[in-house]
Amino acid sequence: MAPAACGDELRNTIGERLQQRLVDAERPTVAGAELPPELVSNKLSLYVDCANSTRVPLYAGFREVNAVQAAGKKARADAITPVLDEWLEPCVKAQREGPLLQPPLAELEGAAADYLAKARELAAAIGAVRMGLSQKPGEDDPAATDPTTRFTAAFTRWDESRQDFDREIDRQQASVDTQVLAEVERRSGKGLEWHARDMMRSARPYVRCLGDHDEITAKICAGLYTPFEQAYKAFMTVHDADPAAAGKVFWMSQFVASLGEYRSAADALRAGLQDNKARAGDIGDAVREYNDLVRDFAALNFAAAASPAT
């Protein structure tokens, strides 16, 4: 197995074990007991990862299909990138594991299940258009639905489901972010954990905006990058002020390395968009770095650093 693949597998395994540990440790023993906001945030991260991981390839497929339709007889099948099953895996994971975690969030879980179904439908429709371009005249099935008609209907259903899913995520996220930051500040002040969480909160709007645009129109997202940059500098100031304390946080060095990779990709993208020099695929590269950052953030264990040595 390649080193990168090993790193991803280790990171996912650690994240899942930490997640399960949090569930076991914090599960309420009294019906109706208030749950720690970190527990809700931990569950919500599964659904955020699902949305982030699928938005870029599906929108890219949408734009590529539109481009080949505009090209007419000059259209080529290889101008459309197939949406791979592995790109939908974060949504499969969310559907499999999310309902098992506390607290029950029926509306979000239902929206996620519908989103995955519509994403699969759209991915298949994109593939059908691509396959249709590779067929020779007379090879298509006259009784089959026209690939373009199928694609248009699938995209409309996916986009409606995406909006419902986004609304549910945003509804949960807004309250959870505030509660988590308040709880962390109450527990340990505005230290490393508080700044890490604030930075991740500040990064989200820029990435969300990028997912709704391409390398031509995403310049409109530039203003959303600034809060992340400010939060990044604040986090690094606290991190660098006490390297020994930062080193006690499990997975911190990997998180900081991932953070540097995302910031480099995002800043390069921002500059490229500003100068109209961004290339096709630059947004996808930045979003993939962000998704890696989210997974590394989920693997952090601040509680271990706070525990007295034995």
Side-chain angles (χ1 to χ4, degrees):
M1 182 179 294
C6 290
D8 288 343
E9 182 176 345
L10 176 60
R11 175 169 50 204
N12 290 338
T13 300
I14 291 172
E16 289 166 3
R17 288 178 179 175
L18 289 175
Q19 186 178 67
Q20 187 58 49
R21 184 186 306 167
L22 183 59
V23 171
D24 293 340
E26 303 290 357
R27 190 183 303 275
T29 56
V30 179
E34 184 177 354
L35 291 167
E38 293 99 324
L39 195 64
V40 184
S41 179
N42 197 54
K43 175 169 180 169
L44 191 58
S45 67
L46 285 173
Y47 298 102
V48 172
D49 192 22
C50 164
N52 289 340
S53 298
T54 53
R55 188 185 305 266
V56 170
L58 289 170
Y59 265 127
F62 167 74
R63 290 188 288 268
E64 288 169 355
V65 169
N66 284 341
V68 299
Q69 290 174 349
K73 294 182 179 180
K74 296 181 180 180
R76 296 164 54 93
D78 59 10
I80 299 177
T81 305
V83 179
L84 304 178
D85 287 344
E86 65 191 66
W87 293 343
L88 303 182
E89 179 56 32
C91 294
V92 175
K93 179 180 178 181
Q95 184 171 349
R96 181 179 64 244
E97 300 179 9
L100 302 178
L101 300 176
Q102 291 288 349
L105 298 172
E107 292 83 1
L108 178 60
E109 292 162 13
D114 183 71
Y115 176 81
L116 175 57
K118 299 303 190 298
R120 283 172 166 159
E121 181 185 356
L122 178 57
I126 291 170
V129 174
R130 189 175 190 272
M131 182 178 296
L133 291 172
S134 65
Q135 291 178 330
K136 297 178 181 179
E139 289 184 341
D140 57 317
D141 181 0
T145 302
D146 173 62
T148 300
T149 302
R150 175 184 174 186
F151 164 78
T152 301
F155 177 80
T156 298
R157 286 190 285 269
W158 172 78
D159 197 45
E160 291 173 349
S161 180
R162 176 194 64 80
Q163 293 178 53
D164 289 342
F165 190 28
D166 282 350
R167 278 193 291 269
E168 281 301 320
I169 289 176
D170 290 343
R171 187 169 68 86
Q172 297 291 337
Q173 194 83 63
S175 60
V176 165
D177 284 341
T178 301
Q179 292 170 16
V180 168
L181 287 173
E183 173 60 23
V184 171
E185 183 176 3
R186 182 196 65 76
R187 185 172 64 231
S188 55
K190 290 187 177 181
L192 191 61
E193 181 179 1
W194 189 94
H195 281 285
R197 291 184 180 278
D198 183 58
M199 180 182 62
M200 295 303 294
R201 177 189 62 82
S202 300
R204 196 181 307 122
Y206 182 62
V207 176
R208 172 72 67 84
C209 183
L210 291 177
D212 291 337
H213 293 274
D214 59 22
E215 284 76 8
I216 297 175
T217 64
K219 183 186 294 188
I220 196 173
C221 302
L224 298 174
Y225 179 81
T226 303
F228 162 73
E229 182 66 16
Q230 294 170 339
Y232 164 81
K233 291 178 179 178
F235 167 77
M236 291 307 302
T237 296
V238 174
H239 176 276
D240 294 345
D242 193 347
K248 294 179 181 179
V249 178
F250 179 76
W251 209 253
M252 179 56 74
S253 62
Q254 293 89 337
F255 171 72
V256 171
S258 184
L259 173 60
E261 291 171 359
Y262 166 66
R263 180 175 179 254
S264 294
D267 191 48
L269 173 63
R270 179 197 56 76
L273 291 169
Q274 181 64 36
D275 298 336
N276 297 317
K277 294 181 179 179
R279 299 169 298 176
D282 284 354
I283 288 178
D285 291 343
V287 171
R288 279 187 286 275
E289 292 292 354
Y290 172 77
N291 291 339
D292 286 345
L293 176 64
V294 169
R295 295 179 190 118
D296 279 320
F297 174 75
L300 292 174
N301 189 347
F302 292 94
S307 300
T310 56

